[in-house]
Amino acid sequence: MLVRQKKNDMMLHIPGVLTPDQVAHLRARMAGAPEWLDGRESVGPQGAKVKRNRQLGEGTPLAVELGQIVSAALMANPMFFSSALPLRMLTPYFNAYGGGEHYGLHVDGAIRAQRGGGAPVRADVSTTVFLSEPEEYEGGELEVVDLYGTHEVKLAAGDAIVYSSGSVHQVRPVTSGERVASFLWTQSMVRDDGKRAMLFDLDTQIQKLRAQHGESEITVGLTAHYHNLLRMWAEV
């Protein structure tokens, strides 16, 4: 597992989003699937210049089936919910890198269309759920660039990394083995990264106090403060 980042950025490692059994199920269902396409088909001309990977066909029955597993696991994870405060989430995508495949420096589009005519999703929060163990491949680090520098991420299968969709990022070339992952975008109830980070930190401290001292006048007061801030900042 590799996560190199500074303390104050809003990148969050969430361990164990998927269980080992869920990871094995996803990998088995994807193995040999005919729906793998050139990843450049899902991006515009600018992205196509730097993207070299394979992607499970968007909107295919298999992609939808497996995406529902990932979505449900994320929505049931308290850390993901607290950090992302999801309002709408796109159906997860799945990609694979091997044989030198990579995705050069780019930024995710701000507005993502939904299949089936659903309302477009503003991409506030990007999430990658790793489906390959780090020892299964060489290279393939997710690099995210923000105000605090460049952060390298390579996590255990089933773990997720959550970061701002406005960050410039890339996937380094996979020089051996294969890197398989799921990725998705979330529109948050709180659009501003800084406000969302403050709410997450406040919620985390409240949970720690509650675990150490039980429910008290202090935890009730801080919880009221949290919800009043959320009421002030949320867009629903």
Side-chain angles (χ1 to χ4, degrees):
M1 179 182 71
L2 169 67
V3 182
R4 295 176 184 159
Q5 63 186 95
K6 293 183 181 292
K7 185 177 181 181
N8 296 322
D9 62 36
M10 191 49 192
M11 281 185 67
L12 182 65
H13 170 205
I14 306 179
V17 169
L18 297 174
T19 67
D21 285 346
Q22 287 176 316
V23 171
H25 174 73
L26 292 174
R27 292 291 298 274
R29 294 285 287 121
M30 285 188 284
E35 294 91 346
W36 289 101
L37 306 173
D38 188 325
R40 287 173 290 186
E41 294 189 14
S42 65
V43 295
Q46 184 176 8
K49 294 178 181 178
V50 296
K51 186 176 186 180
R52 298 291 184 275
N53 69 357
R54 288 153 290 133
Q55 195 162 297
L56 201 60
E58 179 186 356
T60 62
L62 179 60
V64 172
E65 172 197 333
L66 302 186
Q68 289 172 345
I69 295 173
V70 175
S71 294
L74 284 166
M75 290 298 288
N77 187 285
M79 190 179 293
F80 174 79
F81 194 90
S82 178
S83 62
L85 294 172
L87 178 62
R88 287 197 289 271
M89 182 189 297
L90 279 181
T91 300
Y93 296 72
F94 297 87
N95 58 22
Y97 295 79
E101 290 175 319
H102 62 282
Y103 195 172
L105 285 171
H106 64 284
V107 66
D108 295 332
I111 306 298
R112 315 295 304 194
Q114 291 202 74
R115 282 188 170 270
V121 171
R122 187 184 66 235
D124 297 322
V125 179
S126 296
T127 303
T128 297
V129 181
F130 288 77
L131 300 175
S132 300
E133 296 292 354
E135 59 270 19
E136 291 184 58
Y137 58 100
E138 295 291 334
E141 296 85 2
L142 171 66
E143 288 189 352
V144 181
V145 183
D146 61 20
L147 292 174
Y148 303 101
T150 299
H151 318 301
E152 296 181 354
V153 184
K154 191 173 184 178
L155 301 179
D159 288 9
I161 192 76
V162 175
Y163 59 97
S164 169
S165 296
S167 302
V168 174
H169 57 284
Q170 66 178 330
V171 176
R172 301 292 298 173
V174 174
T175 56
S176 68
E178 187 175 54
R179 175 196 192 269
V180 183
S182 178
F183 63 101
L184 63 141
W185 294 277
T186 300
Q187 179 171 332
S188 177
M189 290 182 280
V190 177
R191 174 194 306 240
D192 185 85
D193 291 340
K195 291 176 180 177
R196 199 166 57 248
M198 283 190 284
L199 285 168
F200 176 65
D201 185 58
L202 179 57
D203 185 39
T204 299
Q205 300 309 316
I206 292 170
Q207 299 310 318
K208 289 179 180 177
L209 277 174
R210 186 172 283 127
Q212 292 174 6
H213 305 292
E215 203 64 80
S216 67
E217 183 178 348
I218 293 174
T219 58
V220 171
L222 288 173
T223 300
H225 184 59
Y226 171 89
H227 282 285
N228 286 332
L229 286 174
L230 182 59
R231 207 181 326 273
M232 183 185 304
W233 292 338
E235 304 168 12
V236 295

